[in-house]
Amino acid sequence: NGAYRDLQYAEQLLETDAVVADSLLGTIQLPDSKRIRAYYAVLKTQADYKNYVIAQDDSLIRTATAYYGRRYGSDRKDYHAAMAWYSQGCVYSDMGNDVEAIDAYIRAKALFPDTLVRYYALAEQNLGQYYLNQMMFDLSLNNLNGCLRNSLRLHDNVLTSNARYLMALNALYQAHYTEADSLFNILLNDPHASSLRTRQCYMNLAKIHLHGYNDHSRAMYYIDRYLYELKDPAEVGIGYSVKADIFFDAGQFDSAYIYYSMSMECPEELY
């Protein structure tokens, strides 16, 4: 029917212009059909997520997951069912419900009919991030390796950079300094890495050379590059903190005192 065709068109628009897609979704008159309402719930949830509209509850997307069911896909794999669970993971991410987000992304992965779908790789990336936050390093790396492999096959440069960055953090958190150093430097030479990623690499390389190699001059070089590249003054506090750490570790306590004091004057400095 007409509503279903409009939803199909909105789904196509979501990949190129989420604002226009959301506008179209707002004009569609939905019939009393569970299938179409579930389809709409997936698309509207994705439109909100792509437009940075923070979900307040899970009532809309649960319309979709209730329709598609809770099976893991051993007997039926379906793209829209997978997208329903992926979208529910996005909602729970917005709500800060990590346990439910992990469960939703796992269900989504099992339902995708093909791993060469960008959202499958995104589910791997998100799971890798969640497991990393919980210091579950093996599960994190397993998903991040899958994300990297699929992002390379999809020629998705942004997703590739994100996967490598999270893999570098995985190594850093385990004090595998040489491996982390190598991965961060790969990102520094990646033309597709964002300026934010570049700054984060400088910050983490400073930590590696301070804590891993006890190389104060090289650590100072990287933290100075971080501070030089800053675009957002809200990020300066942590830069001052790390610079103070380097001075302190080198026994230059007067300089450490100055930078710790400057750091404490920054409202965004959490430490």
Side-chain angles (χ1 to χ4, degrees):
N1 59 40
Y4 188 78
R5 286 195 299 271
D6 288 342
L7 290 173
Q8 287 181 307
Y9 182 51
E11 184 173 21
Q12 295 174 19
L13 287 173
L14 270 174
E15 300 305 314
T16 55
D17 195 330
V19 173
V20 174
D22 190 50
S23 179
L24 173 59
L25 288 169
T27 67
I28 298 174
Q29 296 295 316
L30 297 176
D32 188 19
S33 163
K34 290 183 179 179
R35 173 171 171 258
I36 290 179
R37 288 180 179 273
Y39 187 17
Y40 168 84
V42 172
L43 300 184
K44 177 58 177 170
T45 300
Q46 275 300 302
D48 286 345
Y49 187 70
K50 288 175 181 285
N51 288 314
Y52 306 101
V53 177
I54 303 299
Q56 300 302 312
D57 58 59
D58 63 354
S59 57
L60 177 63
I61 192 57
R62 283 174 66 86
T63 302
T65 51
Y67 172 78
Y68 290 109
R70 295 186 66 83
R71 288 182 291 180
Y72 273 85
S74 58
D75 54 351
R76 89 181 238 263
K77 292 180 180 287
D78 179 85
Y79 175 77
H80 287 118
M83 284 303 297
W85 288 106
Y86 172 81
S87 300
Q88 183 153 306
C90 295
V91 168
Y92 286 134
S93 294
D94 280 349
M95 295 171 64
N97 190 337
D98 293 356
V99 173
E100 293 290 350
I102 289 171
D103 179 71
Y105 288 131
I106 290 173
R107 293 179 187 279
K109 282 181 62 179
L111 284 166
F112 276 111
D114 188 350
T115 60
L116 276 185
V117 174
R118 185 171 190 268
Y119 291 101
Y120 184 95
L122 283 169
E124 291 178 308
Q125 171 198 268
N126 295 345
L127 283 168
Q129 172 82 74
Y130 276 117
Y131 288 133
L132 181 61
N133 293 343
Q134 299 298 322
M135 302 299 173
M136 302 168 70
F137 298 118
D138 289 342
L139 283 171
S140 172
L141 194 57
N142 181 57
N143 278 279
L144 293 174
N145 276 325
C147 178
L148 178 61
R149 181 170 57 252
N150 286 322
S151 66
L152 288 170
R153 293 165 69 193
L154 289 163
H155 305 291
D156 190 321
N157 297 318
V158 173
L159 197 52
T160 296
S161 293
N162 290 343
R164 283 184 171 142
Y165 178 73
L166 292 172
M167 291 169 74
L169 289 182
N170 187 296
L172 178 59
Y173 292 171
Q174 297 181 79
H176 297 163
Y177 294 117
T178 301
E179 181 183 354
D181 189 355
S182 175
L183 287 168
F184 284 126
N185 273 288
I186 288 172
L187 282 167
L188 282 181
N189 293 297
D190 182 354
H192 304 289
S194 67
S195 58
L196 172 61
R197 278 285 178 263
T198 299
R199 293 197 303 277
Q200 290 171 327
C201 287
Y202 286 136
M203 166 64 69
N204 286 301
L205 284 165
K207 294 177 183 178
I208 288 170
H209 282 268
L210 171 60
H211 301 294
Y213 304 150
N214 198 34
D215 185 341
H216 300 125
S217 62
R218 197 64 179 164
M220 192 64 73
Y221 165 79
Y222 281 120
I223 200 61
D224 283 341
R225 286 298 304 267
Y226 169 83
L227 290 166
Y228 177 78
E229 298 284 343
L230 276 183
K231 308 298 181 186
D232 184 353
E235 300 173 25
V236 75
I238 184 61
Y240 290 157
S241 287
V242 173
K243 189 159 185 170
D245 287 343
I246 297 168
F247 279 126
F248 186 89
D249 198 66
Q252 299 180 39
F253 301 122
D254 288 345
S255 296
Y257 178 85
I258 291 170
Y259 277 96
Y260 281 133
S261 299
M262 291 168 62
S263 173
M264 291 174 67
E265 295 173 1
C266 299
E268 298 298 326
E269 173 50 72
L270 301 180
Y271 300 101

